Amino acid sequence: MQKEPLKTESPKELQPEAAPKTMTLQVSKVQTPMRIDRYLTQQVENATRNKVQKAIEEQRVLVNGKPVKSNYRIKSCDHIHITFLRPPAPELAPEDIPISILYEDDDLMVIDKEAGMVVHPAFGNWTGTLANAILHHLGKDADDLDKTEMRPGIVHRLDKDTSGLIIVAKNPVALHKLATQFARRQVEKVYKAIVWGVPNPPSGTIKTNIGRSHKNRKVMANFPFEGAEGKHAITDYLVVEDLAYFALMDMTLHTGRTHQIRVHLQHLGHPILGDQTYGGATPRTLPFSKSEPFTHNLLELMGRQALHAETLRFRQPTTGEPLAFTAPLPEDMKTVLEKIRSVMKRTTQTL
């Protein structure tokens, strides 16, 4: 006999409904014909084929103002409007996950995030995130933070596979003041990256607009800096170590666009080693013997994009005191650099 639910349990029908998500897409003039369910799965972040097909069946996908079927083949310049119904997110819960805290006071923490950790929950990653670990660490002190958007106290973010420094506010006032510093570009952020090839000139500034790619909405793309598409993105770069066929670089952000460093280094023609999304994860043939097995081994050792948020400089939100922090390179990047240095030294000696 099935037990009745306890009276203290909240029935699903009483859970608050999340607001629907709407999106409008304009099919490119050069887009080849393709089933609309396949096209939307490629173009919409976190979209699955089943989710798209259900939206089409429920007439929440309109093409040129009219509902279509899943087998409709998109045409050049089609105007697509989609409404996705979003289920309520699970409640953010504290989790006892070890984190490396480099600094902490009454207003903030500076954390050295390890590669592979998601910063805040989202589709596919509801647990095991930095946000869950923060709630556990703060305990009752986290009660003042807004958890409705699943990112309590998190002022900025790092990609899952990017390691390094991240600031976390411990109260709403500190969060507001730190966010203002970021908005006014008063926070200095310097990253270390290992890239394919050596940029020439060895230092400079990359200026583009960055926005969603026309070909794949799940990734970002560069557009003309003075154009109408995307948002301004500015990055300074400096070659710290010339490794013949690779380079260790400093990347200083002046804006904070999604995937900015990764997209800018792809634009420069020197993608980050191991970056699967922006052209850095394919073994290459270099001008020395057995180079392809060597580069394949480097990618296996790295296992992610070789990008590390190394330095942060900002002001303490209450006192105004200047603060500066540096996180050492993680072991995977140090191992790869040592391997490159060793092989490059032997290679140059035989040339």
Side-chain angles (χ1 to χ4, degrees), residues 206-249:
I206 307 167
K207 293 183 178 182
T208 70
N209 281 5
I210 289 179
R212 294 283 172 189
S213 167
H214 291 164
K215 295 180 181 179
N216 184 351
R217 299 284 296 181
K218 297 179 183 180
V219 303
M220 310 305 289
N222 291 285
F223 298 97
F225 189 65
E226 299 301 333
E229 292 192 74
K231 296 180 179 179
H232 282 359
I234 304 171
T235 310
D236 292 338
Y237 72 88
L238 172 68
V239 174
V240 175
E241 186 176 359
D242 183 331
L243 295 163
Y245 308 112
F246 304 89
L248 177 64
M249 300 184 66

Side-chain angles (χ1 to χ4, degrees), residues 112-132:
D112 185 1
K113 185 188 83 71
E114 64 180 24
M117 175 178 271
V118 175
V119 171
H120 57 82
F123 291 102
N125 292 287
W126 293 120
T127 62
T129 72
L130 181 62
N132 297 105

Side-chain angles (χ1 to χ4, degrees), residues 284-322:
R284 299 189 181 189
T285 301
L286 303 175
F288 59 89
S289 64
K290 299 181 180 179
S291 67
E292 191 164 341
F294 166 65
T295 60
H296 188 277
N297 180 242
L298 285 183
L299 293 168
E300 286 188 336
L301 286 172
M302 194 63 241
R304 64 174 179 105
Q305 65 258 16
L307 183 62
H308 177 67
E310 182 185 56
T311 302
L312 274 175
R313 295 186 181 91
F314 59 98
R315 291 192 175 274
Q316 209 286 342
T318 297
T319 67
E321 174 192 0

Side-chain angles (χ1 to χ4, degrees), residues 41 142 173 290:
T41 302
V173 174
K290 299 181 180 179

Side-chain angles (χ1 to χ4, degrees), residues 18-293:
K21 174 184 177 182
T22 61
M23 179 178 292
T24 300
L25 298 175
Q26 180 81 43
V27 178
S28 169
K29 291 181 180 179
V30 295
Q31 173 67 47
T32 55
M34 179 187 299
R35 280 179 59 115
I36 190 167
D37 54 355
R38 182 182 168 202
Y39 175 78
L40 291 179
T41 302
Q42 291 179 358
Q43 295 294 314
V44 180
E45 191 171 10
N46 297 318
T48 64
R49 194 78 170 263
N50 287 340
K51 188 189 296 184
V52 168
Q53 288 176 342
K54 184 176 181 181
I56 292 172
E57 289 172 6
E58 295 177 355
Q59 298 191 352
R60 291 186 279 107
V61 175
L62 305 179
V63 179
N64 304 322
K66 298 179 180 178
V68 294
K69 294 183 178 180
S70 293
N71 62 0
Y72 173 82
R73 298 180 72 80
I74 59 168
K75 301 179 182 63
S76 171
C77 298
D78 270 350
H79 186 272
I80 305 172
H81 183 81
I82 321 124
T83 302
F84 291 115
L85 301 181
R86 298 186 290 184
E91 183 179 351
L92 184 62
E95 293 182 43
D96 188 2
I97 303 169
I99 50 177
S100 175
I101 301 173
L102 300 189
Y103 172 84
E104 183 171 7
D105 62 26
D106 291 340
D107 291 318
L108 64 96
M109 296 186 291
V110 177
I111 295 171
D112 185 1
K113 185 188 83 71
E114 64 180 24
M117 175 178 271
V118 175
V119 171
H120 57 82
F123 291 102
N125 292 287
W126 293 120
T127 62
T129 72
L130 181 62
N132 297 105
I134 289 167
L135 289 187
H136 180 271
H137 175 78
L138 294 180
K140 290 184 178 179
D141 290 340
D143 291 344
D144 291 336
L145 295 173
D146 181 6
K147 296 182 278 291
T148 59
E149 293 189 0
M150 312 296 278
R151 46 191 304 167
I154 295 172
V155 188
H156 60 123
R157 63 181 296 274
L158 296 175
D159 295 333
K160 174 185 175 183
D161 289 327
T162 298
S163 57
L165 298 177
I166 187 164
I167 307 170
V168 177
K170 294 171 65 174
N171 58 70
V173 174
L175 179 63
H176 172 73
K177 290 182 177 180
L178 288 166
T180 299
Q181 288 187 49
F182 273 90
R184 294 176 178 174
R185 302 182 185 179
Q186 295 169 339
V187 179
E188 184 178 348
K189 298 170 285 182
V190 183
Y191 291 65
K192 277 287 191 300
I194 305 170
V195 305
W196 292 95
V198 182
N200 184 23
S203 64
T205 299
I206 307 167
K207 293 183 178 182
T208 70
N209 281 5
I210 289 179
R212 294 283 172 189
S213 167
H214 291 164
K215 295 180 181 179
N216 184 351
R217 299 284 296 181
K218 297 179 183 180
V219 303
M220 310 305 289
N222 291 285
F223 298 97
F225 189 65
E226 299 301 333
E229 292 192 74
K231 296 180 179 179
H232 282 359
I234 304 171
T235 310
D236 292 338
Y237 72 88
L238 172 68
V239 174
V240 175
E241 186 176 359
D242 183 331
L243 295 163
Y245 308 112
F246 304 89
L248 177 64
M249 300 184 66
D250 273 353
M251 307 295 296
T252 301
L253 288 175
H254 294 286
T255 51
R257 308 306 177 203
T258 300
H259 299 174
Q260 179 171 323
I261 291 175
R262 299 165 64 189
V263 176
H264 269 175
L265 284 168
Q266 180 191 48
H267 177 74
L268 196 64
H270 298 277
I272 298 173
L273 180 73
D275 192 335
Q276 295 187 2
T277 304
Y278 297 104
T282 303
R284 299 189 181 189
T285 301
L286 303 175
F288 59 89
S289 64
K290 299 181 180 179
S291 67
E292 191 164 341

